[in-house]
Amino acid sequence: MTLELKPLHPVFAAEASGLDLTRPITRADACAINAAMNRYAVLVWRGQPLTAEQQIRFATTFGPLDIGLKRVFKRPERLEDERLIDISNVGMDGAVQKPDSPKNLSNFANQLWHSDSSFMNPRAAYSMLHALVLPSWGGETQFADLRAAYDALDARTRAIVEPLSAEHYALHTRILLGDDAYTDEQKKLMPPAVWPIVDTHPGSGRKVLFVGVHARQIIGMSTAESRLLMSDLIEHATERERVYTHRWEVGDLVIWDNRATLHRGRRFDLGERRELRRTTINDTPEAMLAVA
Ligand code: OGA
Ligand code: MN
């Protein structure tokens, strides 16, 4: 079987088929997936009923796994393997959580435009989200292409942002959402990471506008100017023509490159179950070379 690709959007994102991801893939297939990721940045696979083990095996083909904020929160979770990230509104008891639960706070934070783990160094390369149970309404995931966002900048803004870097902080979105009761110990566990706003995407050699809600401060600017510029850049990056909306079906696996895209979840009825499972790869030098 060989990888087949069907573009889903004029700018980026493709539907991928022709491989069975529940089985180990060959090095040649992994290389083909990497090449497709470098072109499309988001790949949608339909009908891939992966077990937890199969999803972990597939993900680790591409590099070491990243568990993001789990290091800080250390909450008991119902998923069978701690390398999996539970993107759901369901608790340890198997019940849908209350709207004001910590679980839903994470879901709300995921509804703001972000790049996974941009507050860490190394940051995240690929994330892979697999749909298990879906609500009857809403809950789509949207993606925006940051290479197209850079290309579409006007010359003046391009010159302004070129030398700038931003500090990305793990708890910034939580604090924005009114959740600020963190211990000093928790805060220390997550020192901010600094990334250039104009960066080069390693896989395609194209420039990216690396913005998102984890960016709490542009270095060397007043907080007010920094916040306004950042929100303006996020608005630009997520203009409709640069956004692909994924409408989930059970058994989908969507892979995206966090170094080239932003994403956000969309609203859904919090009383209904929504259960997805994520694996994320750290952007370490060996990660993508492992299959090059
Ligand atoms: C994620 C995420 C959005 C969603 O899993 O990293 O941001 O739609 N998810 O659940
Ligand atoms: Mn995310």
Side-chain angles (χ1 to χ4, degrees):
M1 292 200 292
T2 52
L3 177 64
E4 286 163 36
L5 299 166
K6 194 178 87 190
L8 291 169
H9 185 278
V11 173
F12 71 131
E15 181 167 338
S17 59
L19 299 179
D20 178 357
L21 305 186
T22 66
R23 305 181 60 81
I25 58 166
T26 63
R27 197 177 164 80
D29 288 339
C31 288
I33 292 172
N34 259 342
M37 286 297 289
N38 288 335
R39 161 67 185 87
Y40 290 103
V42 177
L43 292 183
V44 171
W45 305 75
R46 302 280 191 187
Q48 297 280 351
L50 296 162
T51 64
E53 278 66 33
Q54 289 165 343
Q55 185 172 347
I56 290 170
R57 182 181 58 206
F58 175 70
T60 49
T61 312
F62 296 93
L65 293 179
D66 152 35
I67 55 165
L69 281 178
K70 275 192 175 189
R71 274 195 292 144
V72 178
F73 295 133
K74 294 203 186 103
R75 290 193 196 110
E77 279 200 335
R78 66 203 177 99
L79 289 189
E80 45 280 67
D81 191 302
E82 62 172 20
R83 292 170 294 173
L84 294 167
I85 300 170
D86 181 29
I87 304 295
S88 85
N89 58 350
V90 176
M92 285 294 281
D93 56 358
V96 170
Q97 298 296 284
K98 294 202 197 82
D100 64 351
S101 62
K103 199 94 195 129
N104 274 319
L105 188 83
S106 303
N107 294 333
F108 287 131
N110 280 344
Q111 292 180 17
L112 300 166
W113 285 110
H114 66 283
S115 164
D116 289 335
S117 299
S118 70
F119 44 75
M120 299 197 321
N121 189 352
R123 59 191 149 177
Y126 299 163
S127 284
M128 309 174 177
L129 195 56
H130 184 48
L132 303 170
V133 179
L134 296 169
S136 60
W137 174 85
E140 301 89 353
T141 306
Q142 294 184 307
F143 298 89
D145 189 314
L146 296 177
R147 300 172 297 186
Y150 176 81
D151 293 347
L153 284 174
D154 64 85
R156 187 162 181 142
T157 307
R158 206 180 270 193
I160 290 169
V161 296
E162 183 69 45
L164 298 177
S165 291
E167 181 184 85
H168 296 237
Y169 182 52
L171 302 176
H172 186 54
T173 53
R174 316 264 158 170
I175 293 165
L176 275 178
L177 295 176
D179 176 56
D180 47 15
Y182 291 99
T183 63
D184 285 345
E185 195 198 345
Q186 283 175 319
K187 287 182 190 157
K188 265 192 233 127
L189 270 173
M190 282 278 152
V194 173
W195 302 109
I197 291 183
V198 176
D199 210 350
T200 301
H201 176 243
S204 61
R206 290 177 61 191
K207 285 198 170 175
V208 291
L209 184 68
F210 195 69
V211 293
V213 285
H214 296 313
R216 100 172 143 182
Q217 177 70 47
I218 297 173
I219 309 292
M221 242 179 213
S222 73
T223 300
E225 188 181 5
S226 156
R227 288 200 177 159
L228 267 297
L229 179 56
M230 186 50 66
S231 81
D232 209 40
L233 295 173
I234 295 174
E235 196 174 317
H236 165 81
T238 59
E239 274 177 24
R240 188 172 297 185
E241 70 262 30
R242 290 186 275 285
V243 171
Y244 162 70
T245 299
H246 183 65
R247 296 187 171 79
W248 290 97
E249 289 169 23
V250 170
D252 287 353
L253 181 77
V254 177
I255 312 177
W256 65 89
D257 190 336
N258 287 291
R259 303 162 304 177
T261 56
L262 291 180
H263 63 282
R264 68 170 178 185
R266 300 300 277 153
R267 238 163 5 96
F268 62 100
D269 180 342
L270 294 178
E272 289 190 42
R273 300 175 86 87
R274 183 176 189 267
E275 302 178 48
L276 302 101
R277 192 206 280 141
R278 199 178 92 200
T279 38
T280 291
I281 306 303
N282 266 325
D283 185 24
T284 61
E286 66 273 25
M288 299 302 136
L289 289 177
V291 289

